[in-house]
Amino acid sequence: MKRGFTLIEMLVVLAILAMLLTIVTPKFMHMLQRSKETSLRHDLLTMRDAIDKFYSDKNRYPDTLDELVERQYLKAIPPDPITERTDTWVITLPPNIDEQGSVFDVHSGSTLLSEDGTPYALW
C-alpha cells in the first residue's frame, strides 16, 4: 500500500498556512514601517548634528548637503528611508537673511503621513 497525503489533508494544511499568514503579514508591515521611521529620525538627527558642527567650526551654514560630505562632516548623504532616495531631502534656509549659507535644517521630502498622523516633512 502506498503512503501519501490526500488532497483534503493538503488543502487543510494550506488553509492553516494561509490563516497564519493573514495574521502575521500586517504585524510585519507595521514593523517595517516603524523601522523606516526610526531610521528617518536617526538620519535627521545625524544630519542636523553635522550642520550644527559645521556652523560651530566655520561660523556659517553649509551651502549644500554635499558640502557636509566634502568637508567630512558626513561620510555620505543618507537616503531618505521613506522615499529611498538621496535627492529628496528638503532644505530649510536660515531664518536670518544675514546668515551665510543655505542649509539651516533638513526634512524628509516625503508627502506621506507617519503612523502617528504627522507628515514626515515636518519632522
Side-chain angles (χ1 to χ4, degrees), residues 3-29:
R3 308 245 315 111
F5 295 107
T6 65
L7 180 61
I8 292 178
E9 289 172 330
M10 295 291 278
L11 289 175
V12 168
V13 169
L14 289 175
I16 291 170
L17 285 174
M19 186 172 51
L20 288 174
L21 282 175
T22 59
I23 293 170
V24 171
T25 302
K27 290 184 184 274
F28 173 74
M29 297 307 266

Side-chain angles (χ1 to χ4, degrees), residues 66-81:
D66 290 324
E67 187 175 3
L68 292 172
V69 176
E70 292 166 8
R71 305 271 179 142
Q72 298 181 350
Y73 286 88
L74 291 173
K75 288 187 178 186
I77 299 172
D80 183 334

